[in-house]
C-alpha cells in the first residue's frame, strides 16, 4: 500500500517501472567482479597479516549479494527473466539462502509488511540486551536458527512454511537438494585441490560481511510503525554512492515498498519524488543503527520525519528480524 499522501500517476509509474537488461548486467558484473577481486587478494595474502583486511573488505560485497538476489526476486534486476533466475540462484548460493524459497518468503513480507503474525520477517525474536545485540550482529542466530536449519529441513522434504503454497513445495525441495549438492561438491573439490580454500575464500569473508549486512537489514523496518502505509512502516536512509551501489539502491527502502515494481536503477528518481512525503528518513546508517539499538535495548521509539499517519503502537517485542 502506498502512502495516502504520495501517488504516482499511471504515466509516471510506467516510466519508472520500465525494466532493462543493461543496468543490471553492468551492476552485476561490477559487484561480482569486486567479490572475485577480493577473493584473489585473500588468496594472494594468505598466511600473512594482510589476509585479515582482505577478508573484511571482501565480506562486504560478498554478503551484499543478498541485495542482488533480492532485486532478482522482484524480477527487476533485468528485463530478461532467465537473467533474473541465473543471478538470483548464483547470489542465493553465495549467501546460503535458496532463491525460490526466498521469493515466496519475501512476497509474503511485502503483502504483510510490519503486520505481527503475518509478516514472516517478524518471526525471529530480536535481542533486548547488549550481548544479544552483538551476537545478532555476527549473523549466527540467523544462520543457525533459521537459514541453515530451513535449508536442511527442505532438503529432507519437509516444507512447513505457510507462505509456500502447495504448488511450490516440490520446487522448494528440489531447490534445497540442489543447493546442498552444490555445497557438498564444492567442499569435496576444495579438500582435493586446495584444502581450506572454501573456508578462506567464501565462508570466512561471508561471516565477516554479516557485521555490515545485519545492521543494514535491521535498519529497514525496526522500530517503524505497524501501519499499512509503506512510507511509515519502512525507512529511507541517506547514504553514499558506494553503499547504495552494493545494496542495489535498497537504502531507499520505503520507496521500494511503496512501489516494488520499480527497478533498482530507477529508485533514485522515485526517491526524488517521494522525498517530501517520507516519514522514516534517517541520515546514514550510523544514525539508523543508533536508533535501532535504542529501540531494542532501551525501548526508545525512533523519531519520525514529516507528517505521520495513525499507526498501531510500536512494540520492541515484535520488531524487525533479519
Amino acid at each position: 500500500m502506498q502512502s495516502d499522501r504520495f501517488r504516482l500517476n499511471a504515466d509516471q509509474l510506467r516510466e519508472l517501472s520500465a525494466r532493462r537488461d543493461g543496468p543490471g548486467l553492468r551492476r552485476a558484473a561490477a559487484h561480482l567482479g569486486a567479490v572475485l577481486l577480493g577473493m584473489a587478494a585473500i588468496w594472494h595474502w594468505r598466511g600473512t597479516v594482510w589476509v585479515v583486511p582482505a577478508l573484511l573488505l571482501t565480506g562486504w560485497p560478498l554478503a551484499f549479494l543478498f541485495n542482488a538476489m533480492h532485486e532478482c526476486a522482484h524480477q527487476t534486476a533485468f528485463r530478461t527473466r532467465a537473467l533474473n533466475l541465473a543471478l538470483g540462484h548464483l547470489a542465493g548460493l553465495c549467501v546460503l539462502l535458496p532463491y525460490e524459497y526466498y521469493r515466496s518468503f519475501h512476497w509474503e513480507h511485502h503483502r504483510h509488511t510490519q503486520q505481527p503474525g503475518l509478516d514472516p520477517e517478524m518471526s525471529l525474536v530480536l535481542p533486548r540486551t547488549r550481548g544479544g545485540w552483538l551476537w545478532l550482529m555476527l549473523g549466527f542466530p540467523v544462520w543457525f536458527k533459521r537459514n541453515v536449519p530451513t535449508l536442511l529441513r527442505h532438503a529432507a522434504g519437509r516444507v512447513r512454511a505457510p507462505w509456500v503454497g502447495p504448488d511450490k513445495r516440490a520446487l522448494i525441495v528440489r531447490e534445497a537438494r540442489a543447493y546442498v549438492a552444490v555445497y557438498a561438491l564444492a567442499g569435496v573439490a576444495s579438500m582435493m585441490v586446495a584444502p581450506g580454500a572454501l573456508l578462506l575464500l567464501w565462508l570466512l569473508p561471508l561471516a565477516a560481511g554479516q557485521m555490515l549486512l545485519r545492521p543494514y537489514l535491521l535498519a529497514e523496518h525496526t522500530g517503524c510503525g505497524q501501519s499499512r502505509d509503506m512510507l511509515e512502516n519502512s525507512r529511507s536512509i541517506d547514504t553514499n554512492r558506494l553503499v547504495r551501489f552494493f545494496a542495489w539502491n535498497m537504502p531507499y527502502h520505503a520507496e521500494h515498498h511503496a512501489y516494488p515494481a520499480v527497478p533498482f536503477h530507477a529508485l533514485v528518481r522515485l526517491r526524488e519524488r517521494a522525498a517530501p512525503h517520507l516519514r522514516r528518513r534517517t541520515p546514514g546508517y550510523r544514525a539508523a543503527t543508533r536508533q535501532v539499538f535504542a529501540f531494542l535495548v532501551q525501548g526508545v521509539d525512533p523519531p519520525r520525519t514529516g507528517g505521520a499517519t495513525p499507526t498501531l503502537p510500536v512494540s520492541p517485542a515484535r520488531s524487525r528480524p533479519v
Side-chain angles (χ1 to χ4, degrees):
M1 175 179 176
Q2 300 91 359
S3 168
D4 292 336
R5 301 183 182 183
F6 175 62
R7 289 285 190 278
L8 295 176
N9 62 42
D11 290 337
Q12 291 172 330
L13 182 57
R14 188 180 305 110
E15 175 195 351
L16 290 174
S17 299
R19 302 178 187 185
R20 295 183 288 150
D21 286 341
L25 287 169
R26 290 190 292 271
R27 181 67 56 95
H31 195 151
L32 292 170
V35 173
L36 293 175
L37 184 63
M39 289 179 172
I42 291 171
W43 192 252
H44 177 74
W45 282 318
R46 69 190 186 281
T48 74
V49 295
W50 294 105
V51 76
V52 175
L55 281 168
L56 295 174
L57 289 174
T58 304
W60 178 11
L62 179 59
F64 272 62
L65 283 174
F66 170 87
N67 291 284
M69 181 181 67
H70 167 269
E71 193 70 21
C72 293
H74 282 276
Q75 301 290 295
T76 49
F78 309 100
R79 181 178 182 179
T80 303
R81 184 178 179 84
L83 291 175
N84 286 299
L85 189 67
L87 181 60
H89 277 300
L90 176 60
L93 281 164
C94 288
V95 300
L96 291 168
L97 185 57
Y99 169 69
E100 291 291 351
Y101 171 70
Y102 174 74
R103 286 188 68 194
S104 297
F105 177 97
H106 192 64
W107 171 244
E108 195 77 355
H109 165 60
H110 270 271
R111 288 180 62 201
H112 303 295
T113 306
Q114 286 290 86
Q115 303 302 301
L118 296 174
D119 185 350
E121 291 202 358
M122 300 185 79
S123 61
L124 184 66
V125 177
L126 292 180
R128 302 290 176 273
T129 65
R130 293 175 184 268
W133 164 270
L134 291 173
W135 183 243
L136 179 61
M137 291 302 99
L138 295 176
F140 294 120
V142 179
W143 279 10
F144 298 119
K145 287 187 177 181
R146 190 166 72 184
N147 290 10
V148 173
T150 299
L151 173 64
L152 296 178
R153 186 167 59 249
H154 290 173
R158 300 191 301 274
V159 181
R160 303 171 182 171
W163 49 85
V164 178
D167 60 323
K168 287 287 186 72
R169 289 173 186 167
L171 172 63
I172 297 304
V173 170
R174 291 196 302 270
E175 176 186 59
R177 289 173 178 171
Y179 275 51
V180 170
V182 170
Y183 295 144
L185 288 172
V188 170
S190 175
M191 287 187 292
M192 293 177 62
V193 177
L198 202 64
L199 179 66
L200 183 64
L201 297 177
W202 174 45
L203 290 176
L204 286 179
L206 184 61
Q210 299 305 305
M211 291 184 286
L212 295 175
L213 182 63
R214 290 303 130 200
Y216 163 83
L217 290 176
L218 278 168
E220 290 178 347
H221 300 284
T222 307
C224 296
Q226 293 171 3
S227 164
R228 298 296 296 176
D229 183 346
M230 297 302 171
L231 300 189
E232 166 66 27
N233 66 25
S234 308
R235 273 191 186 84
S236 182
I237 298 180
D238 299 316
T239 187
N240 62 66
R241 290 185 178 182
L242 190 60
V243 172
R244 292 201 309 270
F245 179 87
F246 287 122
W248 290 61
N249 284 335
M250 279 303 119
Y252 300 149
H253 207 67
E255 299 88 330
H256 164 69
H257 267 262
Y259 289 97
V262 173
F264 74 96
H265 53 80
L267 276 178
V268 174
R269 286 181 287 151
L270 177 59
R271 198 334 159 74
E272 292 171 354
R273 295 175 178 178
H277 309 279
L278 296 173
R279 301 190 181 112
R280 298 286 182 174
R281 184 173 179 175
T282 306
Y285 279 96
R286 288 184 182 179
T289 300
R290 286 194 297 267
Q291 289 179 14
V292 170
F293 178 83
F295 175 72
L296 292 176
V297 179
Q298 301 167 352
V300 178
D301 282 350
R304 289 183 173 89
T305 56
T309 53
T311 66
L312 294 174
V314 179
S315 169
R318 293 291 185 269
S319 59
R320 163 76 169 168
V322 288

